[in-house]
Amino acid sequence: MKTLRLREGKERSLLRAHPWIFDTAIAKGGADAGETVKVESFDGAFLAWAAYSPASKIKARVWSFDEKQRIDEAFLDGLIEQALHSRQLFQIQSNGVRLVHGESDGLPGLIVDQYDDTLVLQVLSCGVERFKSILVASLMKHTGLERVYERSDTQARSLEGLAPSTGWLSHPQTPKNVLLQIEEHDWRLNLDVEQGHKTGFYLDQRESRRRFAEYAHRLSFERVLNCFCYTGGFSVAASVGMRRAGVFSKGGHVTSIDSSASALKMADENMRLNGFSSEHHTLMDADVNASLRLFLQESRQFDAIVLDPPKFAPSHAHVDRAARAYKDINRLALQLLRPGGVLFTFSCSGGVSAELFHKIVASAGADAHVDGFIAERLQGAMDHPMTLNFPEGDYLKGLVVIRK
Ligand code: SAH
């Protein structure tokens, strides 16, 4: 068994059960990609069993803090079983569910999303890569599902020195359809596991979409703007609430903006799938920032606006620039809301804390000379859990602001 010896004082985060070991913490030792290593403090005390990643700044990720634990098939099978069991404790109204969320489930670098009868896997660390076939067999055994697709093609994987890997890992019969459908709350959504973002869809916004539908119904939104709409999740949610409120017969309308033509095509399909035609909605292939400025020039006003942009700050180094970008779109959106209108605004940047995001939106309001009630704070859905030991899990944060 190979050993990593840490430098003096570098054992502290491990003693708090944080699972990452950075290159700067290591005094000596190394191993092959994904190999299990024993991690010791500077004076030789056992700290953890971890998976080694030679190319990454995060040189090792912990499997277990228990010296007696063997890192083998039975151990990994137990982790998968636990992850699936915990989903039964969460309230999830969908057959699109994140079954494994990396570090939060004790499986650093493994993401598994279930879309109806299909599992979609992302492998983002050498440790998981090494045990991939064992993990896939365990997932299939515990879920009873036979269709498994891999979408390991993100930037995070290249930081690990791993080449992209995509395609079916298991499929019982042909045709091997990559277009899937899920039922979420009261609506249905199509998604593409081959071409879509992440594993195909943003499951993490499930609860916020539900809240948006409830607001649309309760406050009878008539003019809704969904910015960065991707495949139209918030547009469908709003429309379902608006239909319930009976506003479509009074000219209710949803406008959705995205700069990706393929996402907009799917958004159009998703609106039709739920019974909404082009008379109910407009899709704009455009830049959000430019569109918001244009709407202001045209003196347009909205009852509700969603701002769910891509990750503006992938790391702490980008936070200042990201803060300016978030502030810009929030200022414009607050100006476009009528008094009493509702803003659902999000950041999915790990580098932007909830507190900082709040400050950014507040300063956008100050610049726009607009005040608002902070009606709610939102976060990722429960199947993307944050844990006490892993604060980095807190990436998605949102605010619901009602304009005064
Ligand atoms: N709200 C969506 C997820 C949004 S993902 C959901 O619930 O499913 C972010 C989206 O922003 C992507 O679809 C991307 O194509 C789009 N995007 C990125 N930059 C953009 C820009 N400048 N203008 C318009 N859309 C943009």
Short mmCIF file of all heavy atoms in Angstrom, two decimals, residues 197 201-202 205 209 228-230 234 258-260 286-288 308-310, ligand 1:
data_model
loop_
_atom_site.label_atom_id
_atom_site.label_comp_id
_atom_site.label_asym_id
_atom_site.label_seq_id
_atom_site.Cartn_x
_atom_site.Cartn_y
_atom_site.Cartn_z
N HIS A 197 -26.80 20.16 -21.79
CA HIS A 197 -25.81 20.59 -20.81
C HIS A 197 -25.72 19.58 -19.66
O HIS A 197 -26.68 18.88 -19.38
CB HIS A 197 -26.21 21.94 -20.20
CG HIS A 197 -26.15 23.06 -21.20
ND1 HIS A 197 -26.45 24.36 -20.88
CD2 HIS A 197 -25.80 23.07 -22.51
CE1 HIS A 197 -26.30 25.10 -21.94
NE2 HIS A 197 -25.92 24.36 -22.95
N PHE A 201 -29.90 18.00 -18.29
CA PHE A 201 -30.93 18.90 -17.76
C PHE A 201 -30.49 19.47 -16.41
O PHE A 201 -29.64 18.88 -15.73
CB PHE A 201 -32.25 18.12 -17.61
CG PHE A 201 -33.43 18.98 -17.25
CD1 PHE A 201 -33.80 20.03 -18.07
CD2 PHE A 201 -34.13 18.76 -16.08
CE1 PHE A 201 -34.88 20.83 -17.74
CE2 PHE A 201 -35.21 19.56 -15.74
CZ PHE A 201 -35.59 20.60 -16.57
N TYR A 202 -31.11 20.61 -16.02
CA TYR A 202 -30.79 21.25 -14.73
C TYR A 202 -31.79 20.79 -13.66
O TYR A 202 -32.73 21.49 -13.32
CB TYR A 202 -30.81 22.78 -14.88
CG TYR A 202 -29.65 23.27 -15.71
CD1 TYR A 202 -29.74 23.34 -17.10
CD2 TYR A 202 -28.45 23.65 -15.11
CE1 TYR A 202 -28.67 23.77 -17.87
CE2 TYR A 202 -27.37 24.07 -15.88
CZ TYR A 202 -27.48 24.13 -17.25
OH TYR A 202 -26.42 24.55 -18.01
N GLN A 205 -32.68 22.91 -10.32
CA GLN A 205 -33.65 24.01 -10.22
C GLN A 205 -35.09 23.51 -10.06
O GLN A 205 -36.04 24.30 -10.17
CB GLN A 205 -33.55 24.89 -11.47
CG GLN A 205 -32.28 25.74 -11.53
CD GLN A 205 -32.34 26.92 -10.56
OE1 GLN A 205 -32.94 26.85 -9.49
NE2 GLN A 205 -31.72 28.02 -10.93
N ARG A 209 -38.40 25.93 -9.87
CA ARG A 209 -39.41 25.94 -10.93
C ARG A 209 -40.80 25.77 -10.31
O ARG A 209 -41.75 26.43 -10.71
CB ARG A 209 -39.14 24.82 -11.95
CG ARG A 209 -38.03 25.16 -12.94
CD ARG A 209 -37.93 24.12 -14.06
NE ARG A 209 -37.39 22.86 -13.61
CZ ARG A 209 -36.07 22.55 -13.59
NH1 ARG A 209 -35.19 23.42 -14.01
NH2 ARG A 209 -35.67 21.38 -13.16
N PHE A 228 -32.05 33.28 -20.01
CA PHE A 228 -31.17 32.10 -19.98
C PHE A 228 -32.07 30.86 -19.82
O PHE A 228 -31.90 30.05 -18.92
CB PHE A 228 -30.18 32.17 -18.81
CG PHE A 228 -29.40 33.46 -18.75
CD1 PHE A 228 -29.77 34.49 -17.89
CD2 PHE A 228 -28.27 33.65 -19.55
CE1 PHE A 228 -29.05 35.68 -17.84
CE2 PHE A 228 -27.55 34.83 -19.49
CZ PHE A 228 -27.93 35.86 -18.63
N CYS A 229 -33.05 30.73 -20.72
CA CYS A 229 -34.14 29.76 -20.52
C CYS A 229 -33.70 28.32 -20.75
O CYS A 229 -34.41 27.39 -20.36
CB CYS A 229 -35.31 30.10 -21.41
SG CYS A 229 -35.00 29.80 -23.18
N TYR A 230 -32.55 28.09 -21.43
CA TYR A 230 -32.12 26.74 -21.78
C TYR A 230 -33.29 25.99 -22.45
O TYR A 230 -33.84 26.49 -23.41
CB TYR A 230 -31.56 26.01 -20.55
CG TYR A 230 -30.97 24.65 -20.84
CD1 TYR A 230 -30.05 24.47 -21.86
CD2 TYR A 230 -31.35 23.53 -20.10
CE1 TYR A 230 -29.52 23.21 -22.15
CE2 TYR A 230 -30.82 22.28 -20.38
CZ TYR A 230 -29.91 22.13 -21.40
OH TYR A 230 -29.40 20.88 -21.68
N PHE A 234 -38.31 26.90 -16.70
CA PHE A 234 -39.07 27.94 -15.98
C PHE A 234 -40.23 28.48 -16.83
O PHE A 234 -41.23 28.94 -16.28
CB PHE A 234 -38.14 29.10 -15.58
CG PHE A 234 -37.34 28.85 -14.33
CD1 PHE A 234 -36.00 28.46 -14.41
CD2 PHE A 234 -37.91 28.99 -13.07
CE1 PHE A 234 -35.26 28.23 -13.27
CE2 PHE A 234 -37.18 28.77 -11.92
CZ PHE A 234 -35.84 28.39 -12.01
N ASP A 258 -32.54 32.78 -24.97
CA ASP A 258 -31.31 32.01 -24.82
C ASP A 258 -30.48 32.24 -26.07
O ASP A 258 -31.00 32.58 -27.13
CB ASP A 258 -31.60 30.51 -24.63
CG ASP A 258 -30.46 29.79 -23.91
OD1 ASP A 258 -29.45 29.48 -24.58
OD2 ASP A 258 -30.56 29.55 -22.69
N SER A 259 -29.17 32.03 -25.94
CA SER A 259 -28.30 32.23 -27.12
C SER A 259 -27.98 30.90 -27.80
O SER A 259 -27.19 30.87 -28.73
CB SER A 259 -27.01 32.94 -26.71
OG SER A 259 -26.38 32.22 -25.68
N SER A 260 -28.60 29.81 -27.34
CA SER A 260 -28.35 28.51 -27.96
C SER A 260 -29.57 28.08 -28.77
O SER A 260 -30.67 27.86 -28.21
CB SER A 260 -28.02 27.47 -26.88
OG SER A 260 -28.35 26.18 -27.33
N ALA A 286 -31.09 35.24 -28.64
CA ALA A 286 -30.45 36.55 -28.47
C ALA A 286 -29.60 36.56 -27.21
O ALA A 286 -29.69 35.66 -26.37
CB ALA A 286 -31.54 37.62 -28.36
N ASP A 287 -28.81 37.62 -27.09
CA ASP A 287 -28.01 37.84 -25.88
C ASP A 287 -28.91 38.48 -24.82
O ASP A 287 -29.63 39.45 -25.13
CB ASP A 287 -26.83 38.75 -26.23
CG ASP A 287 -26.07 39.17 -25.00
OD1 ASP A 287 -25.48 38.29 -24.35
OD2 ASP A 287 -26.10 40.36 -24.66
N VAL A 288 -28.87 37.97 -23.61
CA VAL A 288 -29.77 38.47 -22.56
C VAL A 288 -29.49 39.93 -22.25
O VAL A 288 -30.41 40.76 -22.20
CB VAL A 288 -29.66 37.61 -21.27
CG1 VAL A 288 -30.26 38.34 -20.07
CG2 VAL A 288 -30.36 36.27 -21.47
N ASP A 308 -31.38 33.19 -14.69
CA ASP A 308 -30.66 31.97 -14.28
C ASP A 308 -29.45 31.79 -15.20
O ASP A 308 -29.44 30.87 -16.03
CB ASP A 308 -31.61 30.77 -14.33
CG ASP A 308 -30.94 29.50 -13.80
OD1 ASP A 308 -29.95 29.62 -13.03
OD2 ASP A 308 -31.40 28.40 -14.15
N PRO A 309 -28.46 32.67 -15.06
CA PRO A 309 -27.34 32.66 -16.02
C PRO A 309 -26.39 31.49 -15.80
O PRO A 309 -26.43 30.82 -14.77
CB PRO A 309 -26.62 33.98 -15.71
CG PRO A 309 -26.93 34.26 -14.28
CD PRO A 309 -28.31 33.70 -14.03
N PRO A 310 -25.52 31.24 -16.79
CA PRO A 310 -24.48 30.22 -16.58
C PRO A 310 -23.51 30.69 -15.51
O PRO A 310 -23.58 31.83 -15.05
CB PRO A 310 -23.79 30.14 -17.94
CG PRO A 310 -24.06 31.44 -18.60
CD PRO A 310 -25.39 31.91 -18.09
N1 SAH B 1 -32.82 28.06 -16.32
C1 SAH B 1 -32.41 26.90 -17.07
C2 SAH B 1 -30.91 26.67 -17.01
C3 SAH B 1 -30.07 27.83 -17.52
S1 SAH B 1 -28.45 27.36 -18.05
C4 SAH B 1 -33.20 25.67 -16.55
O1 SAH B 1 -33.89 25.75 -15.51
O2 SAH B 1 -33.13 24.63 -17.18
C5 SAH B 1 -27.82 28.82 -18.75
C6 SAH B 1 -28.28 29.10 -20.20
O3 SAH B 1 -27.79 30.39 -20.54
C7 SAH B 1 -27.75 28.17 -21.27
O4 SAH B 1 -28.84 27.59 -21.96
C8 SAH B 1 -26.93 29.07 -22.23
O5 SAH B 1 -27.15 28.72 -23.60
C9 SAH B 1 -27.52 30.42 -21.95
N2 SAH B 1 -26.66 31.59 -22.16
C10 SAH B 1 -25.37 31.77 -21.80
N3 SAH B 1 -24.97 33.03 -22.06
C11 SAH B 1 -26.01 33.67 -22.61
C12 SAH B 1 -26.23 35.01 -23.08
N4 SAH B 1 -25.28 35.93 -23.01
N5 SAH B 1 -27.44 35.34 -23.56
C13 SAH B 1 -28.43 34.40 -23.63
N6 SAH B 1 -28.29 33.14 -23.18
C14 SAH B 1 -27.11 32.78 -22.69
#
